[in-house]
Structures are given as C-alpha cells and as structure tokens.
Amino acid sequence: MATLPYNIVLCGFMGCGKSTVGKRLARRLEVPFVDMDQYIEQQAGRKISEIFASEGEAAFREMEYRCAQELSRSGGSVIATGGGALTFARNREALKHNGTIVLLNPPLYIIKRRLCGDTTRPLLNRPDREKAMEELYHKRLPLYREAADITVAAKGTPGAVCKEILQALGLEEAGGNS
C-alpha cells in the first residue's frame, strides 16, 4: 500500500467502534494507529477518569485540543477520536486540516449493548446512566454529522466496517478482500 497522504480520523459516540475498527484499518493500510484518549493518557501520565476527577472536564478538553493540533501536523495515520472530541469546533478544524473525518454511526441500541457494564466512561458514571447516554447521544450526533466527510453505518463486524470505510474512501473496490 502506498503511503497515506492524509489522516483518517474516526469519530462517533462512545462504543461505536472507533478504537477497534481503527486498529484494524491501520493494520490493513499499514499505517500507524493513534487513539487520542490513550495518547492524552500517555502525555498526562494518568487516566482520563483521573484527569476529569482532579482537574475537571475543561482541563481534559484543553489537553484534547493540543493533541488534535499535534496529530494534524502530519498525515498517514488512522486516528480514533474520543467521543466528545469532535463536538468542539476547534478540534474539528484541527483534525480536518490534514484528515478525512469518518463517522461511525451505529444505531443507539447497538451502542447501548456494547457499553453495557462498561464503567470506564466518566460521563456515564452516574445513577441515571441510560438517560444520560441517550441525551448525550442525541446532543452529539448532529455535531458528528456536521464534522464528517463520510458516514458509515458501523453495524457489522469490525472487519465489515473496515471494508465499508475503505470502499467509501475509494481505497478498496466493492467485493475486494480486507
């Protein structure tokens, strides 16, 4: 595979498959994979939940913006954004600078099934988890759609979603192997 001249930036609600699909897509394209949340944790030396607890969401969002700026300086990577990253215009602008944004958009019922029992999401660790998830999903979805250059349904297996992305980007013909 030739060098990818731009980044493929995956966005969508938590649990939509950005990290899982992103890793597979990067392997398929033979390019680096970067999970923005993990990148921030490495830079900060602590978990995102700890950053939220000790410094608050605003401090985390500032770290996220700096990360978006750094990652957009070069092309050739698959980047999985955090669920809230592209709800901020400055992050969208930074990542679009050298990237194609792909929205992974499975239905909410699939996301709920995937996140069942997941306690690692700071914004969902509350007594009204189900209501909070629905409200956040409906608030963020229009922003994801606005940011996206391409939208894929992301209902199938990670391999099927990867293939769907490659076809949408014109990097694989329909019926090709992944």
Side-chain angles (χ1 to χ4, degrees):
M1 169 70 51
T3 304
L4 192 64
Y6 56 90
N7 293 316
I8 298 172
V9 181
L10 304 179
C11 78
F13 198 69
M14 57 186 95
C16 74
K18 297 178 298 285
S19 296
T20 302
V21 170
K23 289 174 190 171
R24 186 177 191 120
L25 186 60
R27 276 194 311 271
R28 172 74 172 81
L29 294 170
E30 300 175 354
V31 299
F33 170 74
V34 180
D35 180 299
M36 281 182 63
D37 285 347
Q38 288 179 357
Y39 185 89
I40 292 166
E41 288 179 346
Q42 289 170 347
Q43 298 294 311
R46 57 192 189 276
K47 297 279 185 201
I48 288 171
S49 58
E50 295 168 5
I51 297 168
F52 265 74
S54 66
E55 298 176 49
E57 184 176 357
F60 169 75
R61 296 300 176 192
E62 186 59 36
M63 293 176 191
E64 188 175 61
Y65 174 56
R66 287 194 309 269
C67 174
Q69 289 178 306
E70 286 175 31
L71 294 174
S72 68
R73 288 191 185 116
S74 61
S77 295
V78 173
I79 301 169
T81 62
L86 293 184
T87 64
F88 295 90
R90 65 186 191 168
N91 293 340
R92 291 192 301 264
E93 290 166 13
L95 291 165
K96 274 185 175 276
H97 171 72
N98 198 20
T100 297
I101 298 178
V102 179
L103 168 59
L104 303 185
N105 191 28
L108 183 56
Y109 76 89
I110 290 176
I111 292 171
K112 285 181 180 180
R113 187 174 65 224
R114 291 176 183 169
L115 293 178
C116 181
D118 184 337
T119 59
T120 65
R121 318 283 177 159
L123 294 177
L124 297 183
N125 287 339
R126 41 192 284 182
D128 62 342
R129 176 185 172 96
E130 185 90 5
K131 181 181 179 200
M133 185 185 304
E134 289 179 16
E135 288 175 357
L136 197 56
Y137 174 85
H138 291 297
K139 178 181 173 185
R140 288 181 172 182
L141 189 59
L143 298 170
Y144 297 148
R145 287 183 174 144
E146 180 184 317
D149 298 303
I150 294 168
T151 300
V152 297
K155 294 184 205 176
T157 65
V161 176
C162 182
K163 185 173 183 173
E164 192 177 357
I165 293 168
L166 290 169
Q167 289 172 352
L169 291 170
L171 299 173
E172 180 174 279
E173 293 181 25
N177 294 328
S178 64

